[in-house]
Amino acid sequence: MSDNNQARDTFSSKFGVIAAAAGSAVGLGNIWKFPYITGVHGGAAFLFVYLGFILAIGIPIMLSELIIGRSSKRNAFGAFKVLAPGTPWRYIGILGVGAAFLILSFYGVVAGWSIQYISLSIQNGFTNKSPEQITSLFSTLIESPIKPVALQLVFMFATGAIVIVGVKKGIEKYTKILMPMLVVILIGLCIKSVSLDGAKAGLDFLFKPDFSKLNGDAILSALGHAFFTLSLGMGTLITYGSYINKENNLVRTVISVTVADTVIAILAGIAIFPAVFAFGIAPTEGPGLIFVTLPNVFHQMPGGFAFSILFFVLLTIAALTSSISILEVVVAYFKEEFNMGRKSSTVLATILISMLGILCSLSMGILSPYTLFGLSFFDLMDWISANLMLPVGGLFIAVFTGWFYGRKKVQAEVANGGNLSGAMLSLFMFLVKFIAPIAIAIVLLNKIGLLKFS
Ligand code: TRP
């Protein structure tokens, strides 16, 4: 065993573990991405498919990642080297490190938009503006070649700085105080949004499913988003699991994180869709959806000025506790596999990812004529990582846990500090051995047209 082991961080308390994992899961995925892709894919039917994937695939894979991480005490790549020496399983880890690059490149750009909206809120930039003006404000802003790039770099710098100090400091406080604040703000927004004239159409859109609207693309996006929102499929939770000590109850951690993440996404949906319909915005607006919808709500709310500042501050912090968990995958890998220091690994990873991020940001404006498969660089990074790399990573993680690691070791690892009754263990094994891999394979094959059912 290497000396790295002694230098490894561990989370200090039970709450610290849940805090870090929930901090990773809850982020732009819940508040920015979930509403916008739900809008693009037609609403309620998409929501229900996504919830089904969370239950049947997300939960078992989250537990699998934590088990793999905690029992190996290694990064996403090293974990498989320890648990399955001399086998190709470790390439799952490489896929994950690659996905981290892609995800963080566009994630930082959106977080940069959020920072810009803090400053717009402070300058009272939304008052007396029509919904059309608010929409064009957003597009002018993201198309600019300078400000969004600079803010993306600010955000990446902050992410790197926190990762250098070590992941656990500061996260507990965020989760204990700021995350409940985010929930309160969201609930305030929901109440306002639901009471707008014409709100009902938005609630129907979100909760009354019309399954005939679903196609292969929507199903694949729902699957990809289940992975994205729970931070699964690329080893974030293997890496975090490696910092969890044996007393922690993994099952409880998984359930708490999943519930928190799902509740926050649904609240975001309730805050946004009634307003989308009330203000005549297209639900298919795309990545700008929250940025063009919520300012309309804020400026009609009592206390909207303070609300909007607080909202974008909390959104930016939520993005930070997620982005550090993405960067940490790369840093732990550089550090343990190439024997680099934490500082140099972080600086290197941050610089490389920021460069990709610059391209993502510019692809909204001056680089927008350059597309691949009809997608801008930004959309391409998002699409490939969420809809391809994460599900493929998840498929292998499930197969590894179910078929290679096996029931006995799973039981032994979970029994450290936790418990899984015989029936629950059997259900878990069934899900990771059969349901998750088969469902993921079918959705992917359907997409590439090898199998056609929708
Ligand atoms: N889950 C985070 C969000 O919803 C983003 C994130 C953090 C992530 N770590 C990840 C996504 C790992 C995929 C994989 O905003």
Side-chain angles (χ1 to χ4, degrees):
M1 298 276 121
S2 80
D3 48 357
N4 277 328
N5 240 359
Q6 287 145 18
R8 290 181 73 82
D9 253 350
T10 52
F11 292 118
S12 44
S13 67
K14 272 186 210 148
F15 184 74
V17 174
I18 295 180
S24 168
V26 174
L28 297 172
N30 306 62
I31 293 167
W32 161 73
K33 195 172 178 193
F34 167 73
Y36 115 61
I37 59 174
T38 303
V40 168
H41 293 296
F46 176 87
L47 169 68
F48 287 103
V49 173
Y50 154 78
L51 291 175
F53 284 140
I54 295 273
L55 279 177
I57 299 180
I59 290 181
I61 290 183
M62 191 188 293
L63 185 57
S64 302
E65 287 204 25
L66 293 179
I67 289 172
I68 292 170
R70 188 171 73 171
S71 61
S72 66
K73 293 209 169 36
R74 282 294 183 286
N75 65 82
F77 174 80
F80 294 98
K81 284 205 310 194
V82 170
L83 300 181
T87 65
W89 285 108
R90 61 181 178 281
Y91 295 112
I92 302 175
I94 300 280
L95 182 71
V97 172
F101 273 85
L102 271 59
I103 292 177
L104 197 46
S105 70
F106 71 86
Y107 207 85
V109 174
V110 181
W113 299 345
S114 176
I115 299 177
Q116 181 125 4
Y117 271 63
I118 301 175
S119 102
L120 275 176
S121 305
I122 293 173
Q123 296 158 25
N124 234 331
F126 314 121
T127 26
N128 303 322
K129 288 213 164 60
S130 67
E132 292 73 33
Q133 286 170 316
I134 287 176
T135 304
S136 65
L137 183 73
F138 174 75
S139 42
T140 317
L141 190 149
I142 64 165
E143 284 164 16
S144 141
I146 297 169
K147 238 187 175 175
V149 172
L151 291 174
Q152 184 255 146
L153 294 176
V154 167
F155 180 81
M156 287 304 301
F157 180 84
T159 303
I162 299 176
V163 168
I164 287 182
V165 177
V167 160
K168 69 183 183 198
K169 297 199 183 84
I171 298 187
E172 268 194 62
K173 198 188 298 153
Y174 162 73
T175 322
K176 234 184 235 165
I177 306 166
L178 301 181
M179 201 166 318
M181 266 168 78
L182 181 64
V183 172
V184 171
I185 299 257
L186 279 174
I187 292 175
L189 276 171
C190 289
I191 294 172
K192 179 70 202 177
S193 189
V194 167
S195 62
L196 293 166
D197 278 345
K200 184 161 178 308
L203 290 175
D204 287 349
F205 180 81
L206 186 59
F207 292 118
K208 279 209 180 132
D210 171 2
F211 287 99
S212 66
K213 278 195 199 145
L214 279 181
N215 56 23
D217 275 343
I219 295 173
L220 178 60
S221 290
L223 177 70
H225 191 64
F227 281 99
F228 187 91
T229 192
L230 294 176
S231 303
L232 299 177
M234 57 159 247
T236 288
L237 293 179
I238 295 179
T239 308
Y240 273 21
S242 75
Y243 306 135
I244 297 180
N245 61 34
K246 295 287 180 197
E247 285 79 58
N248 189 262
N249 183 336
L250 296 183
V251 177
R252 190 177 310 148
T253 301
V254 167
I255 293 174
S256 317
V257 171
T258 308
V259 169
D261 189 81
T262 308
V263 167
I264 291 182
I266 292 178
L267 284 176
I270 301 176
I272 288 170
F273 285 107
V276 163
F277 284 83
F279 293 111
I281 295 164
T284 49
E285 171 74 27
L289 189 66
I290 69 161
F291 296 100
V292 304
T293 305
L294 291 181
N296 292 299
V297 185
F298 289 129
H299 83 62
Q300 288 207 0
M301 267 171 104
F305 174 70
F307 250 87
S308 66
I309 299 174
L310 206 53
F311 174 82
F312 288 111
V313 168
L314 292 171
L315 182 63
T316 307
I317 298 175
L320 257 181
T321 58
S322 300
S323 62
I324 58 176
S325 78
I326 305 174
L327 188 60
E328 181 68 18
V329 171
V330 183
V331 170
Y333 169 70
F334 282 174
K335 193 169 147 262
E336 293 176 7
E337 302 304 322
F338 299 99
N339 269 321
M340 292 169 66
R342 171 165 282 274
K343 210 169 172 180
S344 40
S345 324
T346 310
V347 171
L348 178 65
T350 308
I351 291 177
L352 293 175
I353 294 170
S354 300
M355 285 173 7
L356 277 181
I358 294 175
L359 290 179
C360 284
S361 183
L362 294 179
S363 77
M364 296 286 164
I366 54 173
L367 297 184
S368 61
Y370 302 93
T371 58
L372 199 62
F373 308 118
L375 297 175
S376 67
F377 193 74
F378 178 104
D379 290 333
L380 197 65
M381 294 295 106
D382 183 357
W383 200 94
I384 295 178
S385 56
N387 293 357
L388 217 57
M389 295 171 97
L390 300 181
V392 169
L395 190 156
F396 285 119
I397 288 167
V399 169
F400 178 84
T401 310
W403 296 95
F404 190 92
Y405 198 64
R407 181 182 175 110
K408 270 214 182 93
K409 287 189 191 157
V410 165
Q411 186 173 27
E413 188 57 49
V414 169
N416 279 315
N419 191 14
L420 209 55
S421 71
M424 288 308 277
L425 182 63
S426 299
L427 174 64
F428 171 76
M429 291 309 292
F430 180 68
L431 291 172
V432 288
K433 278 173 103 158
F434 301 106
I435 300 297
I438 293 173
I440 297 169
I442 291 178
V443 175
L444 288 172
L445 291 177
N446 176 59
K447 171 65 199 173
I448 51 179
L450 285 181
L451 209 105
K452 260 292 166 247
F453 62 88
S454 69

